[in-house]
Amino acid sequence: MCAVLLAIETSCDECSASIVTASVNAMFVKVLSNVVYSQVNLHQVYGGVVPEIASRNHLEMLPVVIDQALKQAQLNFSDLSAIAVTNQPGLIGALLVGVSTAKTMAYTLSIPLVLVNHLEGHLHSLFIEGQPHLKNLSAENFPMLVCLVSGGHTNLYLIKDHPPGALLSEKLSESRDDAAGEAFDKCAKLLGLPYPGGLHLDQAARQGNPRAYAFPMPLSGNTLDFSFSGLKTAVALKLKTENNLTENKVADYSASIQEAIVQTLLMKVKLGLHKTNAKALAFVGGVSANSRLRELVTTLNVPSFFPSPQYCTDNAAMIGAAGWFQYQRGEVLMGKAQLKANA
Ligand code: KG4
Ligand code: ZN
């Protein structure tokens, strides 16, 4: 009988629960259900995530979301082999709701608790079964260069082998300041686009000219590190010179900003591929849903992989995937040790 895990994700503004399973030596984890309740509507009026509102809403919604995940998988609590939960990094109050719920359930059911780093989750979104853009992924594609691009991080990893281990230890570089997603969100806000900015900027950019404005592509030297804080400043300064920001101009700004971010990501992954001789490339995290990034990656002469959009942005299935491999390696907490688990 294969192990069945309940996974919980509450690190930011998505409240999510998923049921996953896999056979012992599987390369991919099977998702039986993945319920995501997004708090976007609650935070939209403030133009960003309000931590206190996020944790209070997780408290209300998490039991409902867990119940739905079990129902969709047609399982009961007694069918669970272990519980995986995001314990870091993230909003502390939001994380605490997930961790407290998971440890109480694991202790009460007398099953193992698996603490999962949110970034391990994003990296393991590559090992979820049934994704069209990953159908050709095989052991041949390793070592693989992976660019994790989210609202809080822009990191490069060289994943040496499969089955995956603790992938975070394979980090090559990171952003020295803002993350790519943060750059999308802050620039979108400057343009008056709704929260969450990345998706809206991506959509507005489709009607715009990516060469309308030239924005800086920083750290273009030999480093694999990223930097995006200068872009937001350049956009803010340029917008000060505009007295009539028409819809067409917003589209041109969006396309030009997106181009600067995407070209910077491509410049760094090209350098990373050159430095590491990686056999393939993958993008994970919220920004990897970006349409221009997906379009331009096809121009690189290397096999490239993206998770499906529902596994790019925050979700519990990816926490289940990372948790499942940790569970197989015996990286679990049992009994009273579970009660000490913290965010
Ligand atoms: O991975 P994620 O859901 O949460 C974090 O762990 O941060 O990533 C959220 C980020 C946000 O900055 C959001 O604007 C960005 O991903 N994002 C996008 C797109 N969809 C989401 N950025 C650019 N284009 C998109 N289509
Ligand atoms: Zn995330």
Side-chain angles (χ1 to χ4, degrees):
M1 174 64 186
C2 298
V4 175
L5 267 70
L6 163 68
I8 294 172
E9 157 63 38
T10 62
S11 69
C12 192
D13 60 342
E14 258 88 35
C15 186
S16 180
S18 171
I19 307 288
V20 304
T21 187
S23 51
V24 174
N25 289 317
M27 176 155 178
F28 293 98
V29 171
K30 191 179 171 70
V31 176
L32 302 181
S33 66
N34 182 39
V35 179
V36 183
Y37 172 78
S38 172
Q39 300 178 351
V40 160
N41 293 340
L42 294 179
H43 301 288
Q44 210 155 38
V45 284
Y46 304 101
V49 179
V50 182
E52 177 67 13
I53 293 177
S55 9
R56 282 175 188 272
N57 192 254
H58 283 311
L59 209 50
E60 201 179 319
M61 291 309 295
L62 187 56
V64 181
V65 165
I66 292 174
D67 199 44
Q68 278 182 11
L70 280 165
K71 280 206 178 100
Q72 286 182 17
Q74 299 183 328
L75 294 174
N76 297 309
F77 286 121
S78 57
D79 298 311
L80 299 176
S81 317
I83 300 184
V85 62
T86 307
N87 74 325
Q88 60 166 323
L91 302 172
I92 187 68
L95 286 166
L96 274 171
V97 176
V99 172
S100 312
T101 306
K103 72 181 185 186
T104 309
M105 286 173 60
Y107 189 72
T108 315
L109 295 168
S110 298
I111 56 175
L113 176 70
V114 191
L115 299 178
V116 179
N117 183 299
H118 183 77
L119 304 184
E120 283 293 1
H122 276 302
L123 292 170
H124 281 81
S125 61
L126 292 170
F127 304 110
I128 293 175
E129 195 176 278
Q131 303 186 67
H133 293 287
L134 294 175
K135 68 174 187 296
N136 296 324
L137 184 71
S138 73
E140 315 271 286
N141 298 120
F142 295 86
M144 179 188 283
L145 186 72
V146 181
C147 186
L148 191 166
V149 262
S150 68
H153 297 85
T154 311
N155 299 347
L156 277 178
Y157 298 83
L158 185 67
I159 300 188
K160 292 189 195 72
D161 214 349
H162 190 276
L167 305 182
L168 291 182
S169 62
E170 304 183 1
K171 187 164 91 176
L172 299 176
S173 70
E174 61 189 7
S175 174
R176 294 186 188 175
D177 41 56
D178 291 358
E182 201 178 343
F184 267 109
D185 294 343
K186 286 178 175 168
C187 292
K189 201 169 181 180
L190 290 170
L191 289 173
L193 293 169
Y195 165 86
L199 178 63
H200 289 99
L201 196 143
D202 183 349
Q203 284 165 353
R206 287 176 203 170
Q207 274 73 50
N209 172 8
R211 277 179 283 279
Y213 306 99
F215 288 118
M217 286 174 47
L219 297 185
S220 54
N222 196 31
T223 174
L224 289 177
D225 283 356
F226 300 87
S227 166
F228 289 103
S229 65
L231 174 65
K232 158 195 76 190
T233 312
V235 172
L237 289 175
K238 179 79 185 125
L239 283 174
K240 274 194 182 153
T241 66
E242 290 287 357
N243 42 27
N244 183 19
L245 197 58
T246 60
E247 207 173 304
N248 284 347
K249 276 195 181 169
V250 169
D252 280 348
Y253 270 103
S254 297
S256 305
I257 292 163
Q258 177 171 265
E259 199 67 7
I261 299 173
V262 169
Q263 292 292 356
T264 303
L265 294 174
L266 293 183
M267 171 178 81
K268 292 299 171 189
V269 297
K270 274 192 222 165
L271 184 64
L273 289 167
H274 175 73
K275 283 190 178 210
T276 62
N277 284 322
K279 291 191 187 149
L281 169 68
F283 283 90
V284 298
V287 178
S288 64
N290 184 263
S291 59
R292 183 71 174 153
L293 178 66
R294 287 175 177 241
E295 182 187 330
L296 289 183
V297 163
T298 58
T299 62
L300 302 180
N301 200 13
V302 62
S304 44
F305 300 96
F306 286 92
S308 297
Q310 76 267 29
Y311 299 131
C312 290
T313 46
D314 290 348
N315 67 89
M318 68 183 194
I319 303 303
W324 193 86
F325 287 104
Q326 282 179 229
Y327 173 79
Q328 290 301 316
R329 297 197 297 271
E331 295 168 15
V332 301
L333 292 175
M334 292 295 297
K336 291 215 165 110
Q338 294 175 339
L339 301 179
K340 292 198 179 123
N342 224 327

Short mmCIF file of all heavy atoms in Angstrom, two decimals, residues 8-48:
data_model
loop_
_atom_site.label_atom_id
_atom_site.label_comp_id
_atom_site.label_asym_id
_atom_site.label_seq_id
_atom_site.Cartn_x
_atom_site.Cartn_y
_atom_site.Cartn_z
N ILE A 8 -0.23 20.75 3.72
CA ILE A 8 -0.86 22.03 4.06
C ILE A 8 0.08 23.19 3.73
O ILE A 8 1.26 23.14 4.06
CB ILE A 8 -1.21 22.04 5.57
CG1 ILE A 8 -2.28 20.98 5.87
CG2 ILE A 8 -1.68 23.43 6.02
CD1 ILE A 8 -2.56 20.78 7.35
N GLU A 9 -0.47 24.23 3.07
CA GLU A 9 0.33 25.42 2.73
C GLU A 9 -0.44 26.67 3.17
O GLU A 9 -1.55 26.92 2.68
CB GLU A 9 0.60 25.43 1.21
CG GLU A 9 0.92 26.77 0.58
CD GLU A 9 2.19 27.44 1.08
OE1 GLU A 9 3.19 26.73 1.32
OE2 GLU A 9 2.17 28.67 1.22
N THR A 10 0.17 27.44 4.09
CA THR A 10 -0.47 28.71 4.52
C THR A 10 0.59 29.80 4.72
O THR A 10 0.47 30.61 5.62
CB THR A 10 -1.22 28.54 5.86
OG1 THR A 10 -0.27 28.18 6.88
CG2 THR A 10 -2.33 27.53 5.82
N SER A 11 1.66 29.79 3.89
CA SER A 11 2.77 30.72 4.19
C SER A 11 2.47 32.17 3.83
O SER A 11 3.09 33.08 4.35
CB SER A 11 4.04 30.26 3.48
OG SER A 11 3.91 30.42 2.09
N CYS A 12 1.50 32.39 2.93
CA CYS A 12 1.21 33.78 2.52
C CYS A 12 -0.31 33.96 2.37
O CYS A 12 -1.03 33.85 3.37
CB CYS A 12 1.98 34.10 1.25
SG CYS A 12 1.97 35.87 0.86
N ASP A 13 -0.79 34.20 1.17
CA ASP A 13 -2.22 34.48 1.03
C ASP A 13 -2.99 33.40 0.28
O ASP A 13 -4.09 33.62 -0.18
CB ASP A 13 -2.44 35.86 0.38
CG ASP A 13 -1.83 35.96 -1.00
OD1 ASP A 13 -0.95 35.13 -1.33
OD2 ASP A 13 -2.21 36.86 -1.76
N GLU A 14 -2.38 32.22 0.14
CA GLU A 14 -3.12 31.08 -0.40
C GLU A 14 -3.29 30.05 0.70
O GLU A 14 -2.30 29.68 1.35
CB GLU A 14 -2.38 30.42 -1.58
CG GLU A 14 -2.92 30.79 -2.93
CD GLU A 14 -2.27 32.04 -3.48
OE1 GLU A 14 -1.08 32.22 -3.21
OE2 GLU A 14 -2.97 32.83 -4.15
N CYS A 15 -4.53 29.63 0.91
CA CYS A 15 -4.81 28.61 1.93
C CYS A 15 -5.06 27.32 1.16
O CYS A 15 -6.02 27.22 0.41
CB CYS A 15 -6.05 29.02 2.71
SG CYS A 15 -6.38 27.94 4.11
N SER A 16 -4.17 26.34 1.33
CA SER A 16 -4.26 25.18 0.44
C SER A 16 -4.00 23.87 1.16
O SER A 16 -3.20 23.79 2.09
CB SER A 16 -3.25 25.36 -0.71
OG SER A 16 -3.29 24.29 -1.59
N ALA A 17 -4.72 22.84 0.74
CA ALA A 17 -4.52 21.48 1.26
C ALA A 17 -4.56 20.52 0.08
O ALA A 17 -5.32 20.73 -0.87
CB ALA A 17 -5.59 21.12 2.27
N SER A 18 -3.72 19.49 0.16
CA SER A 18 -3.62 18.55 -0.96
C SER A 18 -3.40 17.15 -0.43
O SER A 18 -2.80 16.97 0.64
CB SER A 18 -2.44 18.98 -1.84
OG SER A 18 -2.16 18.03 -2.82
N ILE A 19 -3.87 16.17 -1.18
CA ILE A 19 -3.59 14.77 -0.84
C ILE A 19 -2.70 14.22 -1.95
O ILE A 19 -3.04 14.33 -3.13
CB ILE A 19 -4.89 13.92 -0.77
CG1 ILE A 19 -5.93 14.56 0.17
CG2 ILE A 19 -4.57 12.50 -0.37
CD1 ILE A 19 -5.62 14.49 1.64
N VAL A 20 -1.55 13.66 -1.57
CA VAL A 20 -0.62 13.12 -2.58
C VAL A 20 -0.22 11.69 -2.20
O VAL A 20 -0.28 11.31 -1.04
CB VAL A 20 0.66 13.98 -2.73
CG1 VAL A 20 0.33 15.43 -3.07
CG2 VAL A 20 1.53 13.93 -1.49
N THR A 21 0.22 10.97 -3.22
CA THR A 21 0.70 9.61 -2.99
C THR A 21 1.74 9.28 -4.06
O THR A 21 1.86 10.00 -5.06
CB THR A 21 -0.47 8.59 -3.03
OG1 THR A 21 0.02 7.31 -2.65
CG2 THR A 21 -1.10 8.49 -4.41
N ALA A 22 2.51 8.21 -3.86
CA ALA A 22 3.46 7.75 -4.87
C ALA A 22 3.98 6.39 -4.44
O ALA A 22 3.93 6.05 -3.25
CB ALA A 22 4.63 8.73 -5.00
N SER A 23 4.50 5.62 -5.40
CA SER A 23 5.12 4.36 -5.01
C SER A 23 6.57 4.64 -4.62
O SER A 23 7.12 5.69 -4.97
CB SER A 23 5.01 3.34 -6.14
OG SER A 23 5.50 3.92 -7.32
N VAL A 24 7.20 3.69 -3.93
CA VAL A 24 8.47 3.95 -3.24
C VAL A 24 9.56 4.57 -4.12
O VAL A 24 10.18 5.55 -3.74
CB VAL A 24 8.97 2.66 -2.56
CG1 VAL A 24 10.36 2.86 -1.97
CG2 VAL A 24 8.01 2.27 -1.46
N ASN A 25 9.80 4.03 -5.32
CA ASN A 25 10.90 4.59 -6.12
C ASN A 25 10.43 5.51 -7.24
O ASN A 25 11.14 5.74 -8.21
CB ASN A 25 11.74 3.45 -6.71
CG ASN A 25 12.53 2.77 -5.62
OD1 ASN A 25 13.10 3.45 -4.75
ND2 ASN A 25 12.53 1.45 -5.61
N ALA A 26 9.25 6.05 -7.09
CA ALA A 26 8.68 6.88 -8.16
C ALA A 26 9.47 8.16 -8.35
O ALA A 26 10.06 8.69 -7.42
CB ALA A 26 7.24 7.22 -7.82
N MET A 27 9.50 8.65 -9.61
CA MET A 27 10.15 9.93 -9.89
C MET A 27 9.15 11.07 -9.66
O MET A 27 9.51 12.17 -9.30
CB MET A 27 10.61 9.94 -11.35
CG MET A 27 11.21 11.24 -11.80
SD MET A 27 12.31 10.96 -13.19
CE MET A 27 12.85 12.60 -13.56
N PHE A 28 7.86 10.76 -9.89
CA PHE A 28 6.82 11.77 -9.76
C PHE A 28 5.81 11.40 -8.68
O PHE A 28 5.52 10.22 -8.47
CB PHE A 28 6.07 11.94 -11.08
CG PHE A 28 6.92 12.52 -12.17
CD1 PHE A 28 7.52 11.70 -13.11
CD2 PHE A 28 7.12 13.89 -12.25
CE1 PHE A 28 8.31 12.23 -14.12
CE2 PHE A 28 7.90 14.43 -13.25
CZ PHE A 28 8.50 13.61 -14.19
N VAL A 29 5.29 12.42 -8.04
CA VAL A 29 4.28 12.24 -7.00
C VAL A 29 2.90 12.50 -7.62
O VAL A 29 2.74 13.41 -8.43
CB VAL A 29 4.56 13.22 -5.83
CG1 VAL A 29 3.42 13.23 -4.83
CG2 VAL A 29 5.88 12.86 -5.15
N LYS A 30 1.94 11.66 -7.26
CA LYS A 30 0.60 11.76 -7.83
C LYS A 30 -0.29 12.62 -6.91
O LYS A 30 -0.31 12.40 -5.70
CB LYS A 30 0.02 10.34 -7.92
CG LYS A 30 -1.22 10.19 -8.72
CD LYS A 30 -1.60 8.70 -8.71
CE LYS A 30 -2.95 8.43 -9.29
NZ LYS A 30 -3.02 8.61 -10.71
N VAL A 31 -0.98 13.57 -7.52
CA VAL A 31 -1.86 14.46 -6.73
C VAL A 31 -3.29 13.93 -6.81
O VAL A 31 -3.88 13.85 -7.89
CB VAL A 31 -1.79 15.90 -7.28
CG1 VAL A 31 -2.77 16.81 -6.53
CG2 VAL A 31 -0.37 16.44 -7.14
N LEU A 32 -3.85 13.57 -5.66
CA LEU A 32 -5.24 13.08 -5.63
C LEU A 32 -6.23 14.23 -5.47
O LEU A 32 -7.37 14.14 -5.90
CB LEU A 32 -5.42 12.07 -4.49
CG LEU A 32 -4.50 10.84 -4.53
CD1 LEU A 32 -4.78 9.91 -3.35
CD2 LEU A 32 -4.66 10.07 -5.84
N SER A 33 -5.78 15.29 -4.83
CA SER A 33 -6.59 16.51 -4.75
C SER A 33 -5.68 17.67 -4.40
O SER A 33 -4.62 17.46 -3.78
CB SER A 33 -7.71 16.38 -3.70
OG SER A 33 -7.13 16.28 -2.41
N ASN A 34 -6.06 18.88 -4.82
CA ASN A 34 -5.25 20.07 -4.51
C ASN A 34 -6.22 21.25 -4.45
O ASN A 34 -6.59 21.82 -5.47
CB ASN A 34 -4.20 20.28 -5.61
CG ASN A 34 -3.31 21.48 -5.34
OD1 ASN A 34 -2.94 21.73 -4.20
ND2 ASN A 34 -2.98 22.21 -6.37
N VAL A 35 -6.65 21.58 -3.24
CA VAL A 35 -7.63 22.64 -3.06
C VAL A 35 -6.90 23.92 -2.67
O VAL A 35 -6.11 23.92 -1.73
CB VAL A 35 -8.65 22.26 -1.96
CG1 VAL A 35 -9.67 23.38 -1.76
CG2 VAL A 35 -9.35 20.95 -2.33
N VAL A 36 -7.12 24.99 -3.45
CA VAL A 36 -6.45 26.27 -3.16
C VAL A 36 -7.52 27.34 -2.97
O VAL A 36 -8.30 27.61 -3.89
CB VAL A 36 -5.50 26.70 -4.32
CG1 VAL A 36 -4.77 27.99 -3.96
CG2 VAL A 36 -4.50 25.60 -4.64
N TYR A 37 -7.55 27.92 -1.78
CA TYR A 37 -8.44 29.06 -1.55
C TYR A 37 -7.57 30.31 -1.53
O TYR A 37 -6.73 30.48 -0.65
CB TYR A 37 -9.21 28.90 -0.22
CG TYR A 37 -9.99 30.15 0.12
CD1 TYR A 37 -11.19 30.43 -0.52
CD2 TYR A 37 -9.48 31.08 1.03
CE1 TYR A 37 -11.88 31.60 -0.26
CE2 TYR A 37 -10.17 32.25 1.30
CZ TYR A 37 -11.36 32.51 0.66
OH TYR A 37 -12.03 33.67 0.92
N SER A 38 -7.75 31.17 -2.54
CA SER A 38 -6.92 32.38 -2.63
C SER A 38 -7.60 33.53 -1.89
O SER A 38 -8.80 33.76 -2.03
CB SER A 38 -6.71 32.75 -4.10
OG SER A 38 -6.08 34.00 -4.13
N GLN A 39 -6.80 34.26 -1.12
CA GLN A 39 -7.32 35.42 -0.37
C GLN A 39 -7.22 36.72 -1.17
O GLN A 39 -7.41 37.80 -0.60
CB GLN A 39 -6.53 35.59 0.93
CG GLN A 39 -6.57 34.41 1.87
CD GLN A 39 -5.72 34.66 3.12
OE1 GLN A 39 -4.99 35.62 3.20
NE2 GLN A 39 -5.82 33.75 4.08
N VAL A 40 -6.91 36.62 -2.46
CA VAL A 40 -6.65 37.81 -3.29
C VAL A 40 -7.69 38.91 -3.08
O VAL A 40 -7.36 40.07 -2.89
CB VAL A 40 -6.57 37.42 -4.79
CG1 VAL A 40 -6.79 38.62 -5.69
CG2 VAL A 40 -5.21 36.85 -5.08
N ASN A 41 -8.99 38.53 -3.08
CA ASN A 41 -10.06 39.54 -2.96
C ASN A 41 -9.97 40.32 -1.65
O ASN A 41 -10.30 41.49 -1.60
CB ASN A 41 -11.43 38.88 -3.06
CG ASN A 41 -11.65 38.33 -4.45
OD1 ASN A 41 -10.97 38.76 -5.39
ND2 ASN A 41 -12.55 37.37 -4.58
N LEU A 42 -9.51 39.63 -0.58
CA LEU A 42 -9.44 40.29 0.73
C LEU A 42 -8.34 41.35 0.77
O LEU A 42 -8.46 42.36 1.45
CB LEU A 42 -9.13 39.26 1.83
CG LEU A 42 -10.18 38.21 2.12
CD1 LEU A 42 -9.68 37.29 3.22
CD2 LEU A 42 -11.46 38.90 2.58
N HIS A 43 -7.22 41.06 0.06
CA HIS A 43 -6.06 41.95 0.15
C HIS A 43 -6.04 43.01 -0.95
O HIS A 43 -5.32 44.00 -0.85
CB HIS A 43 -4.77 41.12 0.08
CG HIS A 43 -4.66 40.10 1.18
ND1 HIS A 43 -4.42 40.46 2.49
CD2 HIS A 43 -4.77 38.76 1.18
CE1 HIS A 43 -4.38 39.36 3.24
NE2 HIS A 43 -4.60 38.32 2.46
N GLN A 44 -6.83 42.78 -2.02
CA GLN A 44 -6.78 43.65 -3.21
C GLN A 44 -7.00 45.12 -2.86
O GLN A 44 -6.28 46.00 -3.35
CB GLN A 44 -7.84 43.21 -4.22
CG GLN A 44 -7.45 43.49 -5.64
CD GLN A 44 -8.14 42.55 -6.61
OE1 GLN A 44 -9.30 42.21 -6.41
NE2 GLN A 44 -7.45 42.14 -7.65
N VAL A 45 -7.95 45.41 -1.96
CA VAL A 45 -8.25 46.82 -1.63
C VAL A 45 -7.06 47.52 -0.99
O VAL A 45 -6.95 48.74 -1.04
CB VAL A 45 -9.47 46.95 -0.68
CG1 VAL A 45 -10.74 46.74 -1.42
CG2 VAL A 45 -9.36 46.03 0.52
N TYR A 46 -6.14 46.75 -0.37
CA TYR A 46 -4.98 47.36 0.29
C TYR A 46 -3.76 47.41 -0.65
O TYR A 46 -2.71 47.92 -0.28
CB TYR A 46 -4.60 46.58 1.55
CG TYR A 46 -5.76 46.47 2.54
CD1 TYR A 46 -6.50 45.30 2.61
CD2 TYR A 46 -6.11 47.54 3.34
CE1 TYR A 46 -7.58 45.20 3.49
CE2 TYR A 46 -7.18 47.44 4.22
CZ TYR A 46 -7.92 46.27 4.29
OH TYR A 46 -8.98 46.18 5.14
N GLY A 47 -3.87 46.79 -1.82
CA GLY A 47 -2.77 46.80 -2.79
C GLY A 47 -1.63 45.87 -2.42
O GLY A 47 -0.54 45.93 -2.99
N GLY A 48 -1.83 44.99 -1.46
CA GLY A 48 -0.79 44.02 -1.06
C GLY A 48 -1.32 43.18 0.10
O GLY A 48 -2.42 43.44 0.61
#
